[in-house]
Amino acid sequence: GESVGLHLPTLSVQEGDNSIINCAYSNSASDYFIWYKQESGKGPQFIIDIRSNMDKRQGQRVTVLLNKTVKHLSLQIAATQPGDSAVYFCAEFGNQFYFGTGTSLTVIP
Amino acid sequence: DGGITQSPKYLFRKEGQNVTLSCEQNLNHDAMYWYRQDPGQGLRLIYYSQIVNDFQKGDIAEGYSVSREKKESFPLTVTSAQKNPTAFYLCASSMLGGRDGYTFGSGTRLTVV
């Protein structure tokens, strides 16, 4: 099956700093990517998506960067807040979605 | 508000019992999915359905069964044949094909006692 991996399983940042969460994907044919946020005991929530014809997309305090050359996806969170503490995982879509294992983000007040 | 509802939030199963997890959506989505989530692992697909009265096995279907009698509902039964059922179960739905992303429910945590 597909392999969607994250470079770091955990990330701790100071409140107010920027966070960067990385994701490597394996299928060069994947053309749609989503970042999800999952708080403890809850279902994943959509954060932001990007299609393969773009290399950057911005939302409110979040930016997703796509580097198709090296099959790498990143999520940048600006001015990280305590409410951002959660597990973040990426998903790639080729003929179905494949989900990464996630990075646990902890925001230190 | 449109959404996807899973119930119960917590479920306890005795050895040898079958239990059924409920998933209902009012998003008018054609496709529905069941995933299992274990600590440190990505979501693993159990079953999915793209149309009423039709469903397909995912990567880890053994010990599970589903039905899709209504577009809005996709219940998952964890049978006694599933040897390690303790996990967090997530239901999702999407437009046909799934290319616009999935909407997830809030999950059911199943524990064997």
Side-chain angles (χ1 to χ4, degrees):
Chain A
E2 295 293 325
S3 169
V4 181
L6 296 172
H7 294 306
L8 295 173
T10 61
L11 177 66
S12 295
V13 299
Q14 291 289 139
E15 181 178 358
D17 287 352
N18 297 334
S19 303
I20 299 176
I21 301 171
N22 297 302
C23 176
Y25 64 95
S26 59
N27 185 0
S28 57
S30 292
D31 60 1
Y32 181 52
F33 305 86
I34 297 177
W35 278 102
Y36 285 96
K37 172 185 180 182
Q38 187 176 22
E39 296 176 83
S40 182
K42 296 184 179 179
Q45 294 176 288
F46 172 97
I47 301 175
I48 192 168
D49 61 355
I50 189 167
R51 298 195 184 274
S52 60
N53 60 350
M54 303 172 69
D55 53 19
K56 179 179 180 179
R57 189 154 190 243
Q58 288 184 291
Q60 188 176 13
R61 283 202 305 119
V62 294
T63 301
V64 55
L65 299 177
L66 175 63
N67 185 331
K68 295 181 287 292
T69 302
V70 295
K71 292 185 286 187
H72 183 267
L73 195 66
S74 69
L75 176 70
Q76 300 178 0
I77 304 173
T80 314
Q81 302 168 0
D84 295 326
S85 293
V87 172
Y88 292 81
F89 58 88
C90 64
E92 64 173 303
F93 189 92
N95 57 354
Q96 66 171 297
F97 271 108
Y98 294 94
F99 299 90
T101 54
T103 292
S104 177
L105 174 66
T106 300
V107 181
I108 304 166
Chain B
D1 286 338
I4 182 166
T5 302
Q6 289 186 241
S7 62
K9 188 171 178 64
Y10 300 96
L11 187 57
F12 298 90
R13 193 195 92 167
K14 293 182 180 179
E15 296 279 353
Q17 268 187 341
N18 292 354
V19 290
T20 298
L21 284 59
S22 172
C23 179
E24 303 274 337
Q25 55 97 2
N26 61 3
L27 298 165
N28 199 31
H29 282 167
D30 297 296
M32 298 186 74
Y33 313 83
W34 274 105
Y35 285 90
R36 172 179 171 140
Q37 187 175 38
D38 294 283
Q41 297 193 36
L43 302 182
R44 292 186 290 168
L45 182 63
I46 304 173
Y47 268 98
Y48 65 101
S49 168
Q50 297 186 344
I51 195 170
V52 173
N53 292 324
D54 187 48
F55 47 83
Q56 285 78 41
K57 293 182 179 180
D59 301 319
I60 55 165
E62 185 175 352
Y64 300 97
S65 66
V66 293
S67 63
R68 186 87 187 276
E69 298 177 0
K70 298 186 300 182
K71 185 176 182 178
E72 301 79 17
S73 179
F74 191 41
L76 173 74
T77 297
V78 184
T79 75
S80 57
Q82 171 50 240
K83 298 307 179 187
N84 185 23
T86 294
F88 191 56
Y89 291 87
L90 285 162
C91 180
S93 68
S94 74
M95 297 301 289
L96 194 63
R99 298 191 67 84
D100 291 323
Y102 296 175
T103 300
F104 285 91
S106 56
T108 292
R109 182 163 300 280
L110 173 63
T111 304
V112 174
V113 296

